[in-house]
Amino acid sequence: MRLALLPLLFASLCAPVLAQAAPLSVCTEASPEGFDVVQYNSLTTTNASADVLMNSLVGYDATAGKVIPSLADSWQVSADGLTYTFKLHPGVKFHTTAWFKPSRALSAEDVLFSFQRMLDPANPWHKVNKSGFPHAQSMQLPSLIKQIDAPDPLTMRFTLNHPDSTFLATLTMGFASIYSAEYADQLLKAGKTDQLNSQPIGTGPFEFVRFQKDAVVRYKANPDYFQGKPSVDPLIFAIVPDANVRLQKLKAGECQIALSPKPMDVVAAADDSKLKAIKTDAFMTAFVAINSQHPPLDKPEVRQAINLAFDKASYLKAVFEGSAQPANGPYPPNTWSYAKDLPGYAYDPAKARDLLAKAGFKDGFSTTIWTRPSGSLLNPNPSLGAQMLQADLAKIGVKAEIRVIEWGELIGRAKAGEHDLLFMGWSGDNGDPDNFLTPQFSCAAVKSGTNFARYCNPELDKLINDGKASSDQAKRSKLYHQAQALIQQQALWVPLAHPSATVLTRTDVKGYSPSPFGRQDFTKVTVGP
């Protein structure tokens, strides 16, 4: 009897070990602004909310370069390009938590709520968001979508006012995440609408546990995730603004993944047998936005002078240390409509002074430079970069005061247009070039706050809108070339760099790949030998 029990005893002892999921700690550089992703436009917030807690109707496969199923198993587009019909995956469960227990699976009712709250002023949730809906507004969804209806509980239909070749790709963005209408109704009746932002509910691979600002976000694996429970559990975002500290925590095993490493940290990781650097070309641009609504920055000659005054080659070498390509416009070179022949602004302080004199500012003027306190992929050394710009502007008589502002406050105030010169970066959410143009340079994006240059031009707006209306890539490229030329002529940005997306991990981390869009996917990650 004793011998017969030994195999069973051995199996019972081993089973829990084999089934036990390993924890995953990710060192990130900043706190999310919140978890109701539709209110915000920063990548940090998208990473902490949409990427781990939520799903959208469709996703984007960066490797294959195509839209793929997510909450929708399939979709059809009408011949005239005006109607999109989605078939939802059956049986998808929302998170069950201490504050919410769903009574039903995801249905078209949830999709309707998720879009109506953004698009319908009569929806009771539309007025709740004090920050508005920046992405939906900048992507011009209120004027694009004519009607949303549900022919049956697992079918969604969008009818557009006009064809838009970017619509399907737009639905892969974080702001298009699908929320629980049942949870929203519960909060509305209880007068606790703020809870949607502080105690989120989604269908995603992880469930929210708790958030301590500037310290940690804790998640646990969703046991009912419709694409399979993740192998890592719990998931922890350790908020560590200092890149040096992120590296030390990685080396000590306190984190298994470190985001936004400094270029020198990537080099150092190569000499550590327990670490590895994973790199991909990023669909991103670092830039200084010039607020065209603030005099004297409203004059093109002044904006051009600022471009000419900044020694961008020295900046790139000092701040990115060989980890980025120089930028000459909004698009990374891997964009299919990239205009490679634009002249750009070579470093020329003398010409910059001449332009200032022509604009009536022979003796210069005073302005401000806004930047974040901690480094990121698109701004590895904020302090050094701001100081270099300040010094170069001083050479042409422009006195610039540096203002270092915490990330969440910086984003909020920049969206309100309070800045003069703003160190910023933009990451496209998919491979479509419009993902830079509409949110950063359209008139609608001035109102929503994502257009940090605060520039509205009917000619540029027409180029952007005409490009979206066409499904002909050659025609779109021609229009986007014209848009890039106009953006450069108006000197709306000081384009800085197109970085490589590099993430440091410990060698026992498997299945993690950095996204060219800066999105995070931990569903395939394992930790262990």
Side-chain angles (χ1 to χ4, degrees), residues 59-349:
Y60 192 82
D61 185 329
T63 302
K66 65 179 183 179
V67 175
I68 58 173
S70 184
L71 291 177
D73 286 331
S74 62
W75 57 89
Q76 291 182 332
V77 185
S78 62
D80 60 6
L82 295 179
T83 305
Y84 289 71
T85 305
F86 297 87
K87 291 294 184 181
L88 303 182
H89 188 83
V92 175
K93 296 181 180 180
F94 282 100
H95 300 156
T96 296
T97 66
W99 54 88
F100 177 67
K101 291 178 174 56
S103 66
R104 59 169 178 80
L106 173 136
S107 74
E109 180 183 350
D110 303 297
V111 183
L112 279 169
F113 163 73
S114 300
F115 284 91
Q116 286 175 343
R117 72 180 286 226
M118 294 188 286
L119 305 178
D120 183 4
N123 187 285
W125 275 91
H126 189 80
K127 301 175 183 178
V128 168
N129 287 5
K130 298 176 183 178
S131 303
F133 304 93
H135 269 304
Q137 292 161 355
S138 66
M139 303 305 285
Q140 303 173 39
L141 292 194
S143 60
L144 174 63
I145 298 175
K146 180 180 181 180
Q147 182 181 346
I148 311 173
D149 67 307
D152 63 63
L154 290 177
T155 303
M156 276 304 308
R157 185 166 55 205
F158 292 78
T159 304
L160 309 186
N161 281 307
H162 53 81
D164 188 316
S165 60
T166 69
F167 180 65
L168 198 60
T170 295
L171 296 185
T172 70
M173 297 171 66
F175 85 92
S177 296
I178 304 305
Y179 288 71
S180 166
E182 184 182 15
Y183 181 50
D185 187 54
Q186 172 184 303
L187 295 180
L188 193 64
K189 290 177 179 177
K192 297 180 179 179
T193 54
D194 287 348
Q195 197 169 300
L196 196 70
N197 192 39
S198 60
Q199 292 183 313
I201 292 291
T203 57
F206 296 92
E207 299 175 359
F208 178 82
V209 177
R210 70 172 184 270
F211 170 48
Q212 184 179 349
K213 185 176 171 61
D214 298 329
V216 67
V217 190
R218 293 188 67 90
Y219 311 88
K220 65 179 182 179
N222 176 5
D224 299 317
Y225 187 47
F226 72 103
Q227 294 183 348
K229 181 183 177 181
S231 297
V232 292
D233 190 20
L235 171 66
I236 301 164
F237 279 18
I239 300 162
V240 185
D242 190 318
N244 293 322
V245 178
R246 290 199 294 275
L247 179 61
Q248 292 308 313
K249 284 182 173 291
L250 186 70
K251 287 183 174 181
E254 296 176 36
C255 291
Q256 286 76 48
I257 297 175
L259 305 180
S260 302
K262 292 193 300 185
M264 66 176 65
D265 294 343
V266 176
V267 175
D271 297 325
D272 192 321
S273 61
K274 295 182 179 179
L275 304 183
K276 60 182 176 181
I278 312 174
K279 182 171 71 172
T280 189
D281 290 334
F283 195 59
M284 303 178 184
T285 303
F287 60 92
V288 176
I290 305 176
N291 191 335
S292 63
Q293 293 182 341
H294 283 191
L297 305 176
D298 57 336
K299 296 181 179 295
E301 297 87 355
V302 172
R303 300 194 297 268
Q304 292 165 3
I306 290 171
N307 268 270
L308 292 165
F310 194 27
D311 185 352
K312 292 189 290 183
S314 295
Y315 166 85
L316 203 68
K317 183 177 180 180
V319 172
F320 283 90
E321 302 178 65
S323 65
Q325 301 178 61
N328 194 38
Y331 288 165
N334 55 354
T335 311
W336 53 256
S337 60
Y338 176 71
K340 61 182 179 180
D341 298 325
L342 292 179
Y345 293 91
Y347 178 54
D348 193 338

Side-chain angles (χ1 to χ4, degrees), residues 441 443 455-466 486:
F441 300 103
C443 294
Y455 183 78
C456 174
N457 180 313
E459 181 185 355
L460 180 56
D461 234 33
K462 187 176 188 306
L463 291 170
I464 294 171
N465 290 331
D466 287 352
L486 180 55

